[in-house]
Amino acid sequence: MTTSVPLTTGIPSWSGEEGVRRAHDLFLQAYAGPPDGVWAAPGRVNLIGEHLDYNGGPCLPIALPHRTYVALRRRADRTVRLASDDADPTRWEGTLDDIRPGGDIPSWVGYAAGPAWALAQQDATLGFAAALGGFDAAVVSCVPWGAGLSSSAAIECATALALDETYGLGLGDDATGRATLAAACVRAENEVVGAPTGGMDQAAALATREGHALLLDTLDGSVEQVPFDLGRVGLALLVIDTRAEHALVDGQYAARRAACEAVAAREGVPTLRELADPPAVLARLTDPVERRRVRHVVTEIDRVGEFVALLRADRYDALGPVLDASHASLRDDYEVSCPELDVAVETARAAGALGARMTGGGFGGSAIALAPTGRVEAIAAAVTDAYARRGWHAPRFLVALASAAGGRVDGRTDGAQR
Ligand code: GLA
């Protein structure tokens, strides 16, 4: 299994064995008797294609070696018991009927148990609602929480894989079934937790392949595995967790989404990706905010194409400017960056990165910098200094290697998508 390149100040990822042991130990501590198994799903960073997954556009995430591990045992009744070592509260008990939109449950419980509700909503002919029962689960994670690295999707997808196998739904074994699991996890996040996110994070957790970036086309759900091996060309992808916390994040995300959907509706198309003539639409938009939002979407779609073409042509050296242009667009047109992200990106470039940009939803969270391997430590040190000078929280770092999708990890199967 892939592990992170050691970085002096890096956020450690657990080996598979360590994750299994921790999940197993917490399970034994919380409940009598062993779990049926342990499943895991990774966090992600998106290389390019930001805020496109709810606009029918493409995105290009890689899975991180950092994973959430869920030890789970099915039950004969409809009780759901959850244990975590660092959530608030650390224990929760209820029934499957408490897990629903509008239910009064902590958000981490919605992430962990929401997929059970969403799977039960699937077409009745599939029989999932009848098949699914209660469960006991212990959740542990080395995906940093709140860093914009999809810790929430990692919880959803690890539980979904666990429920799929323990209740014999048969979805985890092939790409089509996994797409159904991913869709259920999105639904859990949108409807049970109430976060109006797109589908990138769940696809990254369930459909990625080690050594590859996942080119996900959210218009038709199709995926392609694009080889992504920076080490071979002496480069590394440094992830900078700004540790910036921003208020109103959900409202801001929802507002961006609503602005895009409003323009698409006015233009008579389901998503901005389907605009017949984007330049003509841009020319006729009179509201400057709307014009900026749409311009980000339209130009970012082109940048994904450019980035993927460069990767396929082995032109890793030319990727930097595309990352830089994406950041400028997210900062100036989509307005989802923040001073901590901008300083991370600018400092990384000044210290030798070929290109850098914010990644994920924005308003805090993480940035990525593409850099010669020999510059990574110096870039991390420069960003740390820049933050210290401003009196900000010290940032955290990790070097991202494209890792495998989630699966069972306690030795009963190989734990990754076949
Ligand atoms: C968050 C959401 C994703 C996606 C990104 C922006 O990570 O969870 O669905 O919209 O923001 O690309």
Side-chain angles (χ1 to χ4, degrees), residues 34-167:
D36 292 337
V38 183
W39 291 260
R44 61 97 189 93
V45 281
N46 188 25
L47 301 177
I48 195 136
E50 216 64 81
H51 283 277
L52 295 187
D53 63 348
Y54 51 83
N55 281 307
C59 53
L60 192 70
I62 60 170
L64 292 173
H66 300 70
R67 293 176 161 224
T68 293
Y69 294 80
V70 172
L72 185 142
R73 182 176 61 205
R74 60 183 276 174
R75 296 178 58 101
D77 58 17
R78 289 177 65 77
T79 298
V80 175
R81 295 193 294 173
L82 298 172
S84 154
D85 51 4
D86 65 354
D88 183 22
T90 56
R91 300 286 185 275
W92 185 86
E93 181 167 343
T95 74
L96 280 176
D97 307 306
D98 299 319
I99 317 290
R100 59 186 156 77
D104 183 21
I105 53 173
S107 53
W108 83 271
V109 171
Y111 294 130
W117 171 83
L119 284 166
Q121 305 309 304
Q122 298 275 332
D123 187 337
T125 57
L126 295 170
F128 294 166
L132 281 163
F135 53 96
D136 295 333
V139 182
V140 298
S141 184
C142 62
V143 183
W145 186 255
L149 301 175
S150 276
S151 48
S152 50
I155 301 180
E156 292 154 9
C157 294
T159 319
L161 286 163
L163 292 172
D164 172 60
E165 191 172 333
T166 49
Y167 276 104

Side-chain angles (χ1 to χ4, degrees), residues 25-45:
D25 287 354
L26 180 62
F27 192 95
L28 294 179
Q29 193 187 311
Y31 317 111
D36 292 337
V38 183
W39 291 260
R44 61 97 189 93
V45 281

Side-chain angles (χ1 to χ4, degrees), residues 183-356:
C185 292
V186 176
R187 205 165 162 196
E189 182 147 346
N190 291 171
E191 297 182 45
V192 178
V193 181
T197 51
M200 167 170 75
D201 307 342
Q202 293 77 7
L206 290 170
T208 38
R209 200 166 285 168
E210 188 168 348
H212 293 76
L214 180 79
L215 177 58
L216 168 69
D217 187 331
T218 63
L219 193 58
D220 59 8
S222 62
V223 297
E224 276 178 64
Q225 305 289 342
V226 182
F228 186 69
D229 183 3
L230 294 179
R232 189 174 53 77
V233 291
L235 295 175
L237 190 72
L238 178 67
V239 178
I240 305 163
D241 169 14
T242 65
R243 300 180 65 210
E245 285 173 30
H246 282 245
L248 300 175
V249 170
D250 290 347
Q252 292 286 354
Y253 184 97
R256 297 301 180 284
R257 184 168 183 160
C260 293
E261 287 171 352
V263 175
R266 244 183 4 248
E267 294 294 326
V269 285
T271 66
L272 290 181
R273 176 77 175 287
E274 293 156 278
L275 291 175
D277 187 353
V281 174
L282 279 170
R284 73 171 171 262
L285 281 174
T286 50
D287 181 300
V289 173
E290 272 188 357
R291 192 180 320 116
R292 288 203 297 277
R293 302 295 185 258
V294 175
R295 188 165 57 198
H296 166 70
V297 171
V298 168
T299 58
E300 185 79 351
I301 289 170
D302 288 346
R303 281 186 289 271
V304 178
E306 206 183 328
F307 196 93
V308 170
L310 288 169
L311 277 184
R312 290 201 163 121
D314 220 12
R315 300 262 336 268
Y316 287 84
D317 56 316
L319 295 172
V322 192
L323 294 175
D324 293 348
S326 173
H327 187 76
S329 178
L330 289 156
R331 181 191 60 210
D332 302 335
D333 279 351
Y334 220 59
E335 297 179 277
V336 291
S337 189
C338 64
E340 291 87 345
L341 285 166
D342 294 340
V343 166
V345 160
E346 284 152 23
T347 308
R349 283 183 206 137
L354 305 184

